[in-house]
Amino acid sequence: MSLAVGGRKGKQTCVYAGINSSAADIAKGVNEHLRAFGVDPSKPKATSNASKQQECKLTELSRSSLFSDPSDKECYQRLLRVSGPFGAAASSFAKVPQIAVFDATGPKPKSRGIIELPKDAEALDIIQTSENTFQVAYCHKYELFLAKFGDKNVSSEPQLIFTIPEDEPSRPAFKSLRFLSADFVLALGTLARNGGSVLQAFRLPSPGHEKARLAISARVPRKIVGTSLAAVNLAAPPVIGAALGDTQFVVAVGGKDSSICLFSLLHKAASKISLLYDFLELTTIKNVHHDDNISGLAFSNFVPPKSNIRQQYVRLASISLQSSVAVHSIPLKKFVDPAPRNKNAPPRTPRYIVTYKPKSAGQGLRALVLFTVSVLLLAIAGQWAMSH
């Protein structure tokens, strides 16, 4: 079953799930595979030990059929993602593989169109890029695609933006995808010949560049075979579509060995181009689900508080094949970039980063020092050559 959290209306949170209709209904040509539920918190109740326990009320709001052939008995909804008022659901084992996109602004999803595929999507994600536009990224084994949606319909045919070369050593196969921003997408790949897993961040196509380009990569600890991926921006822009500033992403990879490996990834906003750098391992949480495969990960959204009286955390939830759930709290700390943008600029706005120290924290500094020394030596050599 696929699951995604939608928006809120008052105190009620909308949750979408992929649940097929009964076999009898499918035989009649009816398969309302996308269900919407409303989650309403109730007032905390005091328990016998004087603590208060929060309870929730779950109400089914609607059932929808988005795929084009509801009589396909083998088809089910395997993938589901929601971003703001938009959602995307991918089929599996369908006669004609599809991705259905929909408006998620109310209790009854409204179809925005269908993307027909040559084969099932291995993974997908969706991101809202403005009030009325969004992008969908999906992948097959070695191919990464991007589709852009405008106010009403798909504004362009899905575009093949990256293919992993056949001659690449231990050629990784795409396993999971997550948008970092409208400019970058992060992929988890499994390496051939039991080589483990790798994380790759791609810069999406832009004017002058029709294809995506590999921006940065990081190797997952060799013993961990990645099964799931999640990422969170600790300084997301307050307005949808606004440029991404300097920030830190926290990335989580769930493994077959019931472990979760955490990474940090930095984003630098430059005048003409944004950069990703210092993709570093933070820590590994072992035996999260008692040797059970981790099948899904999700971070909570982090909204920086107006004051920092209390310790701040970002939450990470994981689920396993045996339906167990675990939630971890990742501590954060306030951070102020020491270098001003320029001499006359005001001090930088404080932001939050994880308190964990990266295992190779000095790597970025060493690279910067080496680069500076190299430039200095070249300048000295050039000046010497001109004087002689």
Side-chain angles (χ1 to χ4, degrees):
M1 184 181 77
S2 52
L3 187 73
V5 178
R8 296 182 62 180
K9 186 175 182 181
K11 293 183 178 181
Q12 186 181 76
T13 300
C14 187
V15 176
Y16 299 94
I19 306 173
N20 271 6
S21 295
S22 66
D25 286 339
I26 295 176
K28 298 176 184 178
V30 177
N31 186 9
E32 296 173 315
H33 57 85
L34 179 63
R35 302 192 191 187
F37 297 88
V39 180
D40 295 276
S42 60
K43 293 182 179 180
K45 294 182 179 180
T47 60
S48 58
N49 59 1
S51 63
K52 292 185 177 181
Q53 184 176 359
Q54 181 77 42
E55 295 183 354
C56 292
K57 180 182 179 182
L58 186 66
T59 306
E60 184 174 334
L61 303 177
S62 66
R63 300 184 181 188
S64 304
S65 180
L66 299 180
F67 300 137
S68 59
D69 186 4
S71 63
D72 189 343
K73 297 180 181 180
E74 302 300 323
C75 175
Y76 75 98
Q77 179 183 303
R78 187 175 73 87
L79 303 173
L80 176 64
R81 296 291 295 168
V82 172
S83 176
F86 307 109
S91 66
S92 187
F93 291 114
K95 296 176 182 177
V96 180
Q98 296 177 338
I99 292 177
V101 292
F102 58 92
D103 283 334
T105 53
K108 180 71 173 178
K110 299 179 181 178
S111 176
R112 289 288 297 267
I114 293 287
I115 303 174
E116 293 192 350
L117 310 176
K119 49 190 173 183
D120 287 348
E122 181 66 31
L124 74 85
D125 200 13
I126 183 171
I127 187 171
Q128 183 181 3
T129 51
S130 72
E131 183 178 356
N132 297 309
T133 62
F134 58 99
Q135 296 180 157
V136 174
Y138 63 94
C139 61
H140 301 309
K141 193 172 184 180
Y142 300 114
E143 298 174 326
L144 177 61
F145 293 82
L146 183 69
K148 297 182 179 180
F149 284 68
D151 291 346
K152 295 182 180 179
N153 299 307
V154 181
S155 60
S156 64
E157 290 294 323
Q159 178 186 1
L160 173 62
I161 59 173
F162 192 86
T163 302
I164 299 177
E166 293 185 9
D167 58 355
E168 183 170 331
S170 302
R171 189 185 190 193
F174 289 123
K175 180 70 177 178
S176 187
L177 292 175
R178 289 294 179 267
F179 275 107
L180 296 176
S181 69
D183 299 320
F184 294 99
V185 67
L186 178 66
L188 171 66
T190 53
L191 298 168
R193 299 185 290 275
N194 297 319
S197 300
V198 64
L199 291 164
Q200 297 173 303
F202 297 92
R203 185 185 299 275
L204 296 176
S206 59
H209 298 278
E210 294 183 356
K211 299 295 184 179
R213 293 162 288 163
L214 180 62
I216 196 169
S217 63
R219 181 66 185 268
V220 179
R222 190 173 183 85
K223 293 183 179 180
I224 298 177
V225 178
T227 59
S228 50
L229 174 69
V232 62
N233 184 354
L234 297 182
V239 179
I240 298 296
L244 192 63
D246 295 348
T247 186
Q248 183 186 61
F249 292 94
V250 184
V251 177
V253 176
K256 286 185 178 180
D257 63 345
S258 192
S259 64
I260 298 176
C261 189
L262 297 178
F263 293 81
S264 63
L265 173 61
L266 299 182
H267 176 275
K268 179 73 173 178
S271 58
K272 294 184 179 180
I273 188 171
S274 297
L275 302 174
L276 295 176
Y277 66 103
D278 279 2
F279 203 170
L280 303 173
E281 182 186 350
L282 294 173
T283 188
T284 297
I285 309 170
K286 298 181 179 181
N287 202 25
V288 177
H289 291 275
H290 305 291
D291 297 324
D292 190 15
N293 288 7
I294 294 175
S295 56
L297 293 170
F299 278 106
S300 62
N301 292 327
F302 178 71
V303 179
K306 294 181 180 180
S307 61
N308 63 334
I309 298 176
R310 297 181 179 179
Q311 172 70 55
Q312 296 298 307
Y313 300 89
V314 63
R315 315 291 181 182
L316 173 64
S318 61
I319 59 174
S320 73
L321 292 178
Q322 299 300 322
S323 302
S324 61
V325 179
V327 178
H328 294 274
S329 298
I330 301 171
L332 306 177
K333 64 181 179 181
K334 184 171 282 191
F335 174 79
V336 179
D337 293 287
R341 293 181 179 85
N342 56 63
K343 294 181 179 180
N344 299 321
R348 291 180 181 267
T349 303
R351 56 186 175 90
Y352 281 85
I353 62 173
V354 292
T355 58
Y356 298 131
K357 185 178 180 181
K359 292 189 176 182
S360 300
Q363 215 170 40
L365 179 60
R366 288 195 298 271
L368 180 61
V369 170
L370 288 173
F371 176 76
T372 304
V373 171
S374 299
V375 171
L376 181 59
L377 290 175
L378 288 173
I380 293 173
Q383 186 176 8
W384 181 85
M386 292 178 64
S387 63
H388 290 75

